[in-house]
Amino acid sequence: MKRIVILVSGDGSNFQAILNSCKKKEIFGRIVAVVSDNCQAFAIERARVAHISTHVLVPAPLHKEEHIFNQELMQVVDLYSPDLVILAGYMRILNADIVASYSGRILNIHPSLLPKYPGLYTHRKAIQNSDAQHGASVHFVTDKIDEGPVIVQARVPVFHNDSEYTLSMRVKEQEHSIYPLAVKWFTEGRLKMHNNAAWLDGYRLPQSGYIDVIERSL
Protein backbone atom coordinates (compact mmCIF):
# COMPACT_ATOMS: atom_id res chain seq x y z
CA MET A 1 0.00 0.00 0.00
CA LYS A 2 1.44 3.36 -1.05
CA ARG A 3 1.50 6.10 1.57
CA ILE A 4 -0.19 9.31 0.38
CA VAL A 5 -0.02 12.83 1.83
CA ILE A 6 -2.49 15.39 0.46
CA LEU A 7 -2.03 19.17 0.59
CA VAL A 8 -5.23 21.25 0.57
CA SER A 9 -6.40 24.83 0.90
CA GLY A 10 -10.16 24.75 0.43
CA ASP A 11 -13.23 22.56 0.08
CA GLY A 12 -11.31 19.39 -0.70
CA SER A 13 -13.66 17.83 -3.24
CA ASN A 14 -10.77 16.27 -5.16
CA PHE A 15 -9.36 14.96 -1.89
CA GLN A 16 -12.77 13.41 -1.21
CA ALA A 17 -12.86 11.81 -4.66
CA ILE A 18 -9.44 10.25 -4.08
CA LEU A 19 -10.43 9.16 -0.56
CA ASN A 20 -13.56 7.49 -1.93
CA SER A 21 -11.47 5.57 -4.46
CA CYS A 22 -9.11 4.46 -1.69
CA LYS A 23 -12.07 3.18 0.34
CA LYS A 24 -13.32 1.23 -2.67
CA LYS A 25 -9.86 -0.34 -3.05
CA GLU A 26 -9.59 1.18 -6.51
CA ILE A 27 -6.37 2.88 -5.43
CA PHE A 28 -3.58 0.75 -3.99
CA GLY A 29 -2.77 3.34 -1.35
CA ARG A 30 -3.72 4.92 1.93
CA ILE A 31 -4.02 8.61 2.76
CA VAL A 32 -1.86 8.97 5.87
CA ALA A 33 -2.11 12.75 6.35
CA VAL A 34 -3.80 15.90 5.11
CA VAL A 35 -1.97 19.21 5.43
CA SER A 36 -3.56 22.63 4.92
CA ASP A 37 -2.39 26.23 4.88
CA ASN A 38 -5.92 27.36 5.74
CA CYS A 39 -7.40 26.68 9.17
CA GLN A 40 -10.92 27.15 7.78
CA ALA A 41 -10.56 24.71 4.88
CA PHE A 42 -13.48 22.29 4.80
CA ALA A 43 -11.05 19.65 3.59
CA ILE A 44 -9.72 19.47 7.15
CA GLU A 45 -13.17 18.49 8.40
CA ARG A 46 -13.42 15.86 5.66
CA ALA A 47 -10.12 14.39 6.85
CA ARG A 48 -11.13 14.39 10.50
CA VAL A 49 -14.40 12.62 9.73
CA ALA A 50 -12.33 9.97 7.93
CA HIS A 51 -9.96 9.72 10.93
CA ILE A 52 -6.96 10.92 8.91
CA SER A 53 -4.16 12.83 10.63
CA THR A 54 -4.42 16.56 9.90
CA HIS A 55 -1.99 19.45 10.14
CA VAL A 56 -2.68 23.15 9.66
CA LEU A 57 0.32 25.32 8.85
CA VAL A 58 -0.67 28.95 8.43
CA PRO A 59 2.07 31.09 6.87
CA ALA A 60 3.19 34.26 8.59
CA PRO A 61 2.08 37.51 6.94
CA LEU A 62 5.64 38.67 6.36
CA HIS A 63 7.34 37.51 3.18
CA LYS A 64 10.64 37.03 5.01
CA GLU A 65 9.02 34.22 7.02
CA GLU A 66 8.27 32.20 3.88
CA HIS A 67 11.37 30.05 4.28
CA ILE A 68 10.27 29.10 7.80
CA PHE A 69 6.86 28.00 6.53
CA ASN A 70 8.48 25.91 3.79
CA GLN A 71 10.79 24.25 6.30
CA GLU A 72 7.85 23.39 8.56
CA LEU A 73 5.84 22.06 5.62
CA MET A 74 8.67 19.80 4.52
CA GLN A 75 9.18 18.54 8.07
CA VAL A 76 5.51 17.60 8.34
CA VAL A 77 5.45 15.87 4.96
CA ASP A 78 8.69 14.01 5.71
CA LEU A 79 7.20 12.83 9.00
CA TYR A 80 4.88 10.50 7.06
CA SER A 81 7.46 9.17 4.57
CA PRO A 82 4.98 9.39 1.67
CA ASP A 83 5.34 7.54 -1.59
CA LEU A 84 3.14 10.18 -3.20
CA VAL A 85 2.28 13.82 -2.45
CA ILE A 86 -0.96 15.12 -3.94
CA LEU A 87 -1.92 18.76 -4.36
CA ALA A 88 -5.71 18.94 -4.15
CA GLY A 89 -6.65 22.59 -4.44
CA TYR A 90 -3.46 23.63 -2.65
CA MET A 91 -3.06 27.32 -3.42
CA ARG A 92 0.59 27.82 -2.51
CA ILE A 93 3.62 27.26 -4.72
CA LEU A 94 5.90 24.52 -3.44
CA ASN A 95 9.47 25.64 -3.00
CA ALA A 96 12.38 24.08 -4.87
CA ASP A 97 13.53 21.94 -1.94
CA ILE A 98 10.21 20.12 -1.61
CA VAL A 99 9.88 19.65 -5.36
CA ALA A 100 13.42 18.26 -5.58
CA SER A 101 12.99 16.00 -2.55
CA TYR A 102 9.82 14.42 -3.98
CA SER A 103 10.63 14.70 -7.67
CA GLY A 104 8.43 12.36 -9.70
CA ARG A 105 6.20 11.81 -6.67
CA ILE A 106 4.08 14.98 -6.63
CA LEU A 107 0.83 15.26 -8.59
CA ASN A 108 -1.36 18.29 -9.20
CA ILE A 109 -4.61 18.95 -11.02
CA HIS A 110 -5.05 22.21 -12.91
CA PRO A 111 -8.37 23.53 -14.27
CA SER A 112 -7.34 24.03 -17.88
CA LEU A 113 -6.09 22.07 -20.86
CA LEU A 114 -2.40 22.62 -20.22
CA PRO A 115 -0.25 24.13 -21.57
CA LYS A 116 -3.16 26.52 -22.14
CA TYR A 117 -3.98 28.90 -19.27
CA PRO A 118 -1.46 28.19 -16.54
CA GLY A 119 -2.08 30.11 -13.32
CA LEU A 120 -5.36 31.56 -12.07
CA TYR A 121 -8.77 32.50 -13.54
CA THR A 122 -8.74 29.74 -16.15
CA HIS A 123 -12.53 29.50 -16.51
CA ARG A 124 -12.81 33.26 -17.00
CA LYS A 125 -10.12 33.16 -19.69
CA ALA A 126 -11.81 30.31 -21.53
CA ILE A 127 -15.11 32.24 -21.64
CA GLN A 128 -13.52 35.58 -22.55
CA ASN A 129 -11.62 33.94 -25.42
CA SER A 130 -14.75 32.17 -26.71
CA ASP A 131 -13.11 28.76 -26.44
CA ALA A 132 -15.17 25.86 -27.71
CA GLN A 133 -13.63 23.52 -25.15
CA HIS A 134 -12.12 23.77 -21.70
CA GLY A 135 -11.10 21.17 -19.16
CA ALA A 136 -8.63 19.92 -16.57
CA SER A 137 -5.18 18.35 -16.55
CA VAL A 138 -3.44 16.09 -14.05
CA HIS A 139 0.32 16.57 -14.19
CA PHE A 140 3.55 15.88 -12.37
CA VAL A 141 4.83 18.85 -10.39
CA THR A 142 8.21 20.30 -11.37
CA ASP A 143 10.02 23.52 -10.48
CA LYS A 144 8.18 25.30 -13.31
CA ILE A 145 4.63 26.22 -12.29
CA ASP A 146 1.96 24.28 -14.19
CA GLU A 147 4.55 23.06 -16.69
CA GLY A 148 5.14 19.53 -15.41
CA PRO A 149 4.45 16.56 -17.71
CA VAL A 150 0.72 16.06 -18.31
CA ILE A 151 -0.64 12.65 -17.36
CA VAL A 152 -4.32 12.83 -18.26
CA GLN A 153 -6.77 15.48 -19.45
CA ALA A 154 -10.54 15.79 -19.60
CA ARG A 155 -12.30 18.14 -22.00
CA VAL A 156 -15.72 19.74 -21.61
CA PRO A 157 -17.71 21.97 -23.98
CA VAL A 158 -18.02 25.69 -23.32
CA PHE A 159 -21.58 26.89 -23.89
CA HIS A 160 -22.54 30.38 -25.05
CA ASN A 161 -24.44 31.06 -21.82
CA ASP A 162 -21.79 29.68 -19.45
CA SER A 163 -20.73 31.63 -16.39
CA GLU A 164 -17.46 30.98 -14.60
CA TYR A 165 -19.44 29.01 -12.03
CA THR A 166 -21.32 26.74 -14.44
CA LEU A 167 -18.17 26.04 -16.43
CA SER A 168 -16.15 25.36 -13.29
CA MET A 169 -18.76 22.87 -12.06
CA ARG A 170 -18.64 20.98 -15.36
CA VAL A 171 -14.85 20.86 -15.18
CA LYS A 172 -14.88 19.86 -11.51
CA GLU A 173 -17.06 16.84 -12.27
CA GLN A 174 -14.40 15.60 -14.69
CA GLU A 175 -11.61 16.33 -12.21
CA HIS A 176 -13.22 13.89 -9.79
CA SER A 177 -12.82 11.16 -12.41
CA ILE A 178 -9.35 11.76 -13.81
CA TYR A 179 -7.50 12.59 -10.58
CA PRO A 180 -8.27 9.29 -8.84
CA LEU A 181 -7.43 7.53 -12.12
CA ALA A 182 -3.94 9.07 -12.24
CA VAL A 183 -3.40 8.26 -8.55
CA LYS A 184 -4.49 4.67 -9.23
CA TRP A 185 -1.92 4.32 -12.01
CA PHE A 186 0.82 5.71 -9.78
CA THR A 187 0.06 3.46 -6.82
CA GLU A 188 0.04 0.43 -9.13
CA GLY A 189 3.54 1.30 -10.30
CA ARG A 190 2.32 1.91 -13.84
CA LEU A 191 2.90 5.69 -13.91
CA LYS A 192 6.32 7.34 -13.65
CA MET A 193 8.10 10.56 -14.53
CA HIS A 194 11.32 10.13 -16.49
CA ASN A 195 13.34 12.60 -18.56
CA ASN A 196 10.72 15.28 -17.82
CA ALA A 197 7.96 13.19 -19.38
CA ALA A 198 5.10 11.08 -18.05
CA TRP A 199 5.32 7.36 -18.78
CA LEU A 200 2.49 4.85 -18.45
CA ASP A 201 3.10 1.11 -18.73
CA GLY A 202 6.52 1.85 -20.22
CA TYR A 203 5.19 4.16 -22.94
CA ARG A 204 5.87 7.88 -23.07
CA LEU A 205 2.63 9.83 -22.95
CA PRO A 206 1.95 12.66 -25.42
CA GLN A 207 1.91 16.26 -24.28
CA SER A 208 -1.86 16.20 -23.77
CA GLY A 209 -1.75 13.09 -21.60
CA TYR A 210 -3.38 9.68 -21.91
CA ILE A 211 -7.10 10.41 -22.19
CA ASP A 212 -9.05 13.04 -24.09
CA VAL A 213 -12.49 12.85 -22.47
CA ILE A 214 -15.33 15.03 -23.78
CA GLU A 215 -18.30 15.61 -21.50
CA ARG A 216 -21.32 15.99 -23.82
CA SER A 217 -24.12 16.42 -21.30
CA LEU A 218 -25.63 19.75 -20.41
Side-chain angles (χ1 to χ4, degrees), residues 14-113:
N14 273 308
F15 154 55
Q16 187 69 57
I18 293 167
L19 175 61
N20 292 345
S21 289
C22 288
K23 290 180 177 179
K24 295 175 184 176
K25 309 299 183 183
E26 296 169 345
I27 290 174
F28 187 69
R30 180 169 66 93
I31 301 171
V32 294
V34 171
V35 185
S36 179
D37 63 337
N38 176 10
C39 62
Q40 297 182 339
F42 185 64
I44 292 296
E45 181 60 24
R46 293 181 189 267
R48 288 172 177 162
V49 169
H51 305 291
I52 297 171
S53 296
T54 61
H55 296 265
V56 178
L57 300 176
V58 179
L62 299 178
H63 180 71
K64 66 180 181 180
E65 303 295 337
E66 184 74 12
H67 70 286
I68 297 177
F69 174 84
N70 288 322
Q71 288 175 355
E72 292 177 347
L73 176 61
M74 193 161 181
Q75 288 172 358
V76 169
V77 173
D78 287 347
L79 181 66
Y80 292 92
S81 301
D83 300 293
L84 178 64
V85 177
I86 294 174
L87 310 186
Y90 188 65
M91 299 305 293
R92 298 182 64 81
I93 298 172
L94 297 184
N95 76 340
D97 289 340
I98 297 176
V99 173
S101 181
Y102 290 95
S103 178
R105 294 184 290 154
I106 310 176
L107 301 184
N108 183 44
I109 191 160
H110 183 73
S112 81
L113 298 173

Side-chain angles (χ1 to χ4, degrees), residues 168-185:
S168 70
M169 289 298 98
R170 196 176 306 117
V171 170
K172 183 68 71 175
E173 182 178 359
Q174 296 303 309
E175 290 180 12
H176 296 167
S177 295
I178 63 173
Y179 213 177
L181 179 62
V183 175
K184 176 180 184 292
W185 289 338

Side-chain angles (χ1 to χ4, degrees), residues 159-171:
F159 301 127
H160 69 90
N161 59 344
D162 261 327
S163 65
E164 288 183 56
Y165 175 78
T166 59
L167 182 55
S168 70
M169 289 298 98
R170 196 176 306 117
V171 170

Side-chain angles (χ1 to χ4, degrees), residues 92-213:
R92 298 182 64 81
I93 298 172
L94 297 184
N95 76 340
D97 289 340
I98 297 176
V99 173
S101 181
Y102 290 95
S103 178
R105 294 184 290 154
I106 310 176
L107 301 184
N108 183 44
I109 191 160
H110 183 73
S112 81
L113 298 173
L114 291 173
K116 200 170 189 178
Y117 306 141
L120 302 175
Y121 310 117
T122 62
H123 309 306
R124 182 183 308 174
K125 292 172 183 176
I127 292 172
Q128 288 177 341
N129 292 328
S130 300
D131 289 354
Q133 294 180 341
H134 188 44
S137 308
V138 181
H139 65 95
F140 283 105
V141 173
T142 64
D143 57 357
K144 296 182 179 180
I145 301 172
D146 295 333
E147 293 187 22
V150 173
I151 300 162
V152 55
Q153 290 186 330
R155 296 175 182 264
V156 302
V158 182
F159 301 127
H160 69 90
N161 59 344
D162 261 327
S163 65
E164 288 183 56
Y165 175 78
T166 59
L167 182 55
S168 70
M169 289 298 98
R170 196 176 306 117
V171 170
K172 183 68 71 175
E173 182 178 359
Q174 296 303 309
E175 290 180 12
H176 296 167
S177 295
I178 63 173
Y179 213 177
L181 179 62
V183 175
K184 176 180 184 292
W185 289 338
F186 186 94
T187 60
E188 292 173 341
R190 299 172 57 194
L191 175 66
K192 300 181 184 299
M193 187 177 80
H194 179 64
N195 289 339
N196 199 38
W199 295 72
L200 181 66
D201 296 333
Y203 294 93
R204 180 170 177 159
L205 297 177
Q207 184 178 10
S208 61
Y210 183 75
I211 287 181
D212 186 8
V213 179

